[in-house]
Amino acid sequence: MKIIFPFALAVVTLVAATAAFANPEQLEDRLQRGDQVIRTLNNGEPQQNLERMRQEFPFLAEATEGYALGEVWSRPGLDNRTRQLAAVAVMAALGERNLMKVHAGYALNVGATDDELKEMIYLVTVPAGFPKAIAASQTLSELFEERRNAASKGAGE
């Protein structure tokens, strides 16, 4: 019985996922919602990592845009700021520095503050440890520096 349940769950999940992507109208709706999520988070612009992925890994890009963004990120229940702060903490805890940096940028775009992002990193020390928190802090410092440089260039024009 212990073996049958996980197998059955995997089969049901696979069938549901296949059905979800089999309907072209539903897929197009998800892709449009995913694109809207990205543009909302990224100041009206497409996400460059996703666009690069689309060139060599179109299925992965479509799945990311359709499911992760169009289904999960577009759900009601959390505002974009809260969702992005949570994503920063999760990515930092997983050691996913590049994705953490993307989500930290989104968090700043939708109203989070530098101090709130720093608090997310401090929280990471408890479940993930100091090495991951320190690595995340370095990535966050890089993002802050990039934004300061961009702001000073914009002010000089």
Side-chain angles (χ1 to χ4, degrees):
M1 185 66 158
K2 289 182 181 180
I3 294 173
I4 294 173
F5 180 73
F7 178 74
L9 182 60
V11 169
V12 168
T13 302
L14 179 60
V15 169
T18 303
F21 279 98
N23 184 329
E25 292 84 23
Q26 288 179 347
L27 176 59
E28 189 57 37
D29 289 344
R30 283 192 295 273
L31 291 172
Q32 287 176 358
R33 284 194 312 267
D35 182 62
Q36 183 59 42
V37 167
I38 282 293
R39 290 176 187 277
T40 297
L41 297 173
N42 205 32
N43 295 329
E45 299 295 322
Q47 211 295 322
Q48 292 307 309
N49 291 338
L50 183 62
E51 296 309 311
R52 282 192 297 275
M53 187 189 327
R54 196 180 311 281
Q55 299 306 309
E56 294 217 39
F57 301 94
F59 173 79
L60 185 57
E62 186 174 276
T64 300
E65 190 171 46
Y67 176 71
L69 300 168
E71 285 292 325
V72 178
W73 240 254
S74 65
R75 289 178 51 80
L78 291 175
D79 60 90
N80 283 331
R81 188 181 146 287
T82 303
R83 197 178 300 274
Q84 291 309 315
L85 287 170
V88 167
V90 169
M91 295 303 172
L94 291 172
E96 294 292 337
R97 292 176 67 178
N98 290 334
L99 290 172
M100 188 213 78
K101 188 174 184 180
V102 168
H103 286 282
Y106 292 160
L108 291 169
N109 290 348
V110 296
T113 67
D114 291 7
D115 287 339
E116 289 171 321
L117 288 169
K118 290 175 184 179
E119 287 298 323
M120 294 298 106
I121 303 311
Y122 300 150
L123 286 171
V124 167
T125 62
V126 177
F130 279 90
K132 286 201 174 140
I134 291 168
S137 75
Q138 293 166 343
T139 301
L140 199 53
S141 290
E142 291 169 11
L143 176 65
F144 292 159
E145 182 66 24
E146 289 169 9
R147 290 213 167 205
R148 282 191 291 269
N149 289 340
S152 67
K153 284 182 184 178
E157 293 176 359

